[in-house]
Amino acid sequence: MKISQMFEKKRALLSFEIFPPKKDAGTEAVRGTIEELSALRPDYISVTCSAGGSGNARTCEIAELVRRCGVEPLAHVTCIHAEGADVQATLAGLRGAGIENVLALRGDRIEGAKESGRFRYAADLVRFIRAEGGFDIAGACYPEGHPESPDLPTDIRHLKEKVDAGVSHLNTQLFFENEDFYRFEELLSAANVAVPVQAGLMPLVKKSHVDRIIALSGAKIPARLSRMISRFYDKPDALMEAGIAYATEQAIDLLSAGVRGIHLYVMNNAQVARRIASALAPVLAEVNGGNDAGRP
């Protein structure tokens, strides 16, 4: 099923994001995680490209495994180092695997690699995929502004170009302060960007998340989250519980305010996904009028 059809049936979706295993590990290395996540009955599972931007083939393999586990996959497709024939080959592989939903991304630059002469921005990729036909196209957005954009209003203008090119829904980059998301929604409304937006949340449950993910994303750290990190940084069990609680509280507040969905960056941790999905189940059931009553 296309994700746009899911939004027609539900007020709020719940989805997870996973990433392929390292190059020296086969696809089977992530099978158990996919099976555990699928048992939680998310609306879909998003599959990233491998680190370095060269993982479109691996992404297709894992997305197909997600589909075989009974969950709709959303396959990431990047373009910063691709040409038209490369993207056509990727789309052909996804189409052959029965995958209908893609997330169109510019992708990260690889040092020393030749940049695309066909695709400069994600909007270029969106237009290309739309012309190819057959896919629902999701896009990424940044509640605090893209790190390469001079300011948030400029970023919103570029985002509208991407939506106008054919994006049917948006997933946000991770953020930790809900007020930033609400301000972002207001700017989207003022710019006449009306597609559903899912809030991307990452539970900070390990020191490595604190040290690496925050630095890479550039996300703002609210004072209450900073206190949590400072207090429990070297206490793994406490940090796990506190991180799950913080993300769950964030999600409940967002759902209470009418967000169209929660997209959890679970770092391939099915236990964390299970804990949060279980806590959100009654809230999602209420928001969706009982349609999610069977979710664990």
Side-chain angles (χ1 to χ4, degrees), residues 13-32:
L13 304 187
L14 175 66
S15 55
F16 305 134
E17 182 158 301
I18 62 172
F19 54 85
K22 295 179 180 178
K23 290 182 180 180
D24 57 352
T27 302
E28 289 298 311
V30 77
R31 178 185 289 274

Side-chain angles (χ1 to χ4, degrees), residues 89-144:
T90 295
L91 297 178
L94 293 171
R95 192 179 289 111
I99 295 162
E100 300 181 288
N101 299 286
V102 297
L103 177 64
L105 301 163
R106 186 197 69 179
D108 297 326
R109 290 185 172 88
I110 303 172
E111 187 175 354
K114 181 182 177 181
E115 293 195 12
S116 174
R118 175 67 177 79
F119 306 106
R120 186 176 181 186
Y121 302 109
D124 300 322
L125 178 61
V126 173
R127 294 186 190 97
F128 186 90
I129 297 173
R130 186 178 183 183
E132 289 288 307
F135 294 95
D136 244 24
I137 308 170
C141 59
Y142 297 76
E144 299 173 62

Side-chain angles (χ1 to χ4, degrees), residues 206-222:
K206 292 184 178 180
K207 283 172 43 172
S208 59
H209 298 170
V210 175
D211 295 336
R212 184 170 182 270
I213 302 301
I214 292 178
L216 289 175
S217 70
K220 181 172 68 181
I221 306 301

Side-chain angles (χ1 to χ4, degrees), residues 20-95:
K22 295 179 180 178
K23 290 182 180 180
D24 57 352
T27 302
E28 289 298 311
V30 77
R31 178 185 289 274
T33 300
I34 291 172
E35 291 174 347
E36 289 185 69
L37 292 175
S38 298
L40 301 176
R41 297 179 58 199
D43 292 290
Y44 67 88
I45 294 176
S46 176
V47 184
T48 74
C49 293
S50 297
S54 60
N56 281 339
R58 180 68 67 86
T59 299
C60 183
E61 283 182 51
I62 294 175
E64 186 174 12
L65 183 55
V66 169
R67 187 180 63 78
R68 289 178 178 173
C69 287
V71 176
E72 195 64 43
L74 172 66
H76 292 209
V77 178
T78 60
C79 67
I80 188 62
H81 298 296
E83 299 301 335
D86 303 316
V87 175
Q88 283 180 324
T90 295
L91 297 178
L94 293 171
R95 192 179 289 111

Side-chain angles (χ1 to χ4, degrees), residues 182 249-259 262 283 287:
Y182 300 140
E249 180 185 347
Q250 247 195 299
I252 291 173
D253 179 66
L254 289 160
L255 290 166
S256 300
V259 72
I262 302 296
V283 178
V287 168

